[in-house]
Amino acid sequence: MFKNKTNNQEYKSGKSRTMERNVIAKNSTFVGEITSDGDFRIDGILEGTLKTKGKVIIGVDGFIKGTIEATNAEIEGKFSGQLSIANILTIKATANISGDIVVGKLSIEPGATFNASCAMKGALKELNKTNETKQASEKTA
């Protein structure tokens, strides 16, 4: 009855004006797999997998047990599992992290608990290039 044609057309074409932020609120528990292009803020509990092209924020009261794949992340709460961040992972002083982590860049504030194995993508690429160069020069020598 009161439909806006431009908004309806944007919805049908798959184009939106702004990126949405999804929230799992405090005192909420979600179990399962989430896939999205938008940002996420977790103030409750998530057990499972979260895949997004956006940013993931785990609030002070938030807890994720499982797997996260995202472009950027900021953690103030608890995380346990496998974390794969393409760009920057920021770990705040209140954070408690355990598991396996692969990041592009890492920032950890003093006071954070960080009990994880960590690999940096940029460092791995540079190390592989260095090894390939050494092997090539050894073959020609």
Side-chain angles (χ1 to χ4, degrees), residues 84-106:
S84 179
I85 305 299
N87 290 333
I88 300 172
L89 170 62
T90 304
I91 300 174
K92 301 292 186 176
T94 56
N96 186 331
I97 311 293
S98 62
D100 298 317
I101 297 172
V102 178
V103 297
K105 295 180 182 178
L106 179 63

Side-chain angles (χ1 to χ4, degrees), residues 14 22 43 96 131:
N22 302 287
D43 289 314
N96 186 331
N131 288 339

Side-chain angles (χ1 to χ4, degrees), residues 6 20 30 83 90 94 108-109 114 127 132 139:
T6 57
E20 297 293 325
F30 186 89
L83 183 61
T90 304
T94 56
I108 303 176
E109 290 184 357
F114 187 78
L127 183 60
E132 288 173 5
K139 289 180 182 178

Side-chain angles (χ1 to χ4, degrees), residues 60-140:
V60 175
D61 297 319
F63 174 60
I64 295 180
K65 182 177 181 180
T67 303
I68 297 177
E69 292 179 22
T71 303
N72 294 299
E74 183 176 304
I75 301 177
E76 298 173 333
K78 295 180 181 178
F79 175 82
S80 177
Q82 295 181 340
L83 183 61
S84 179
I85 305 299
N87 290 333
I88 300 172
L89 170 62
T90 304
I91 300 174
K92 301 292 186 176
T94 56
N96 186 331
I97 311 293
S98 62
D100 298 317
I101 297 172
V102 178
V103 297
K105 295 180 182 178
L106 179 63
S107 171
I108 303 176
E109 290 184 357
T113 303
F114 187 78
N115 295 313
S117 63
C118 183
M120 296 184 79
K121 289 182 181 179
L124 289 174
K125 289 178 184 176
E126 290 175 18
L127 183 60
N128 287 338
K129 286 180 183 177
T130 304
N131 288 339
E132 288 173 5
T133 306
K134 285 181 183 178
Q135 289 174 357
S137 63
E138 288 173 0
K139 289 180 182 178
T140 58

